[in-house]
Amino acid sequence: SDPSSPHSPSNGSSRTLSAREMYLFDTGGQYLDGTTDITRTVHWGEPTPLQKEAYTRVLMGNIDLSRLVFPSNTAGGTVESFARRALWEVGLNYGHGTGHGIGNFLSVHEWPVGFQSNNVPLEAGMFTSIEPGYYQDGEFGIRIEDIALVVEAQTEEEPFLTFEVVSLVPYDRNLIDLSLLSPEQIRYLNSYYERIRAHVGPELRRQQLEEAYAWLQESTEP
């Protein structure tokens, strides 16, 4: 990689990781059958009460938008506040878009899908990111980004839409304050974890990645 790139480590700018702070991993790759853009935030030590609450509220926003059922041809900008509501309740917010279209082996950020006011209405078959966050300058940053497919919802009056999250990566249990989550949000988390186990677990076993498999089982406990 280019040593002058801001995304490349160097002896001058690198520092040692510690278990005393939060880390935000914005990850992804280009594959022949699609592009990934997945962000997870972790803390390997003892998070502060604010860090834990902020993380949980970002997760609540991610879940609330992901499980939303809405009319066909709804503009993304109309529903994006569902990702912010849990943060807004306590006076927190984030200063970036809630999600962007994702190319199929193309651009990571791909027009015209997304949640801004100038994006096209959502339709079944579109891929978008869902990525609420919270940032405290000089202290820590939180973002939880998943890739979601717009799908038809099972409703009485057709056609309504919802999202199917297709990125299968556990969230950091160390940062979740369960007392803030509703029963519906906990049910959603548990069914998501079941899907991760069913899809990712056998693949890790196939590749004989036993340490990763054990981590996955631990991280997807109900």
Side-chain angles (χ1 to χ4, degrees), residues 39-40 51-67 82-83 86-87 130-134 142-146 169-173 175-178 181 185-186 188-189 192-193:
T39 303
R40 289 291 181 266
Q51 288 174 334
K52 201 163 179 175
E53 175 167 3
Y55 178 93
T56 304
R57 290 185 178 278
V58 170
L59 179 62
M60 289 162 73
N62 180 298
I63 292 172
D64 288 347
L65 184 51
S66 297
R67 60 186 290 270
F82 281 87
L87 287 163
I130 292 177
E131 50 179 300
Y134 176 70
I142 300 165
R143 189 163 68 248
I144 301 174
E145 176 184 23
D146 284 306
V169 183
Y171 306 115
D172 186 8
R173 305 174 87 82
L175 282 163
I176 299 174
D177 180 351
L178 278 179
L181 299 183
Q185 289 167 335
I186 291 172
Y188 174 92
L189 265 185
Y192 177 59
Y193 282 167

Side-chain angles (χ1 to χ4, degrees), residues 168 192-203 216-217 220:
L168 302 174
Y192 177 59
Y193 282 167
E194 279 173 23
R195 279 204 300 134
I196 295 175
R197 279 188 172 184
H199 288 281
V200 184
E203 178 60 24
L216 188 82
Q217 293 300 105
T220 53

Side-chain angles (χ1 to χ4, degrees), residues 14 32 36 46 61 66 73 81 113 115 118 139 148 159 168 170 176 186 209:
S14 301
L32 292 172
T36 63
E46 193 61 49
S66 297
N73 279 321
S81 56
V113 183
F115 292 98
N118 55 356
E139 295 294 321
L168 302 174
I176 299 174
I186 291 172
L209 297 169

Side-chain angles (χ1 to χ4, degrees), residues 89-158:
E89 277 177 353
V90 290
L92 305 179
N93 203 5
Y94 54 93
H96 58 71
T98 294
H100 54 79
I102 295 174
N104 180 13
F105 196 46
L106 289 164
S107 305
V108 180
H109 292 205
E110 187 159 290
W111 189 257
V113 183
F115 292 98
Q116 313 284 58
S117 58
N118 55 356
N119 289 117
V120 297
L122 295 163
E123 289 177 37
M126 292 176 169
F127 283 93
T128 180
S129 69
I130 292 177
E131 50 179 300
Y134 176 70
Y135 311 88
Q136 204 166 56
D137 279 357
E139 295 294 321
F140 63 88
I142 300 165
R143 189 163 68 248
I144 301 174
E145 176 184 23
D146 284 306
I147 301 171
L149 172 63
V150 183
V151 295
E152 288 196 357
Q154 304 302 309
T155 51
E156 310 254 331
E157 295 290 323
E158 298 294 342

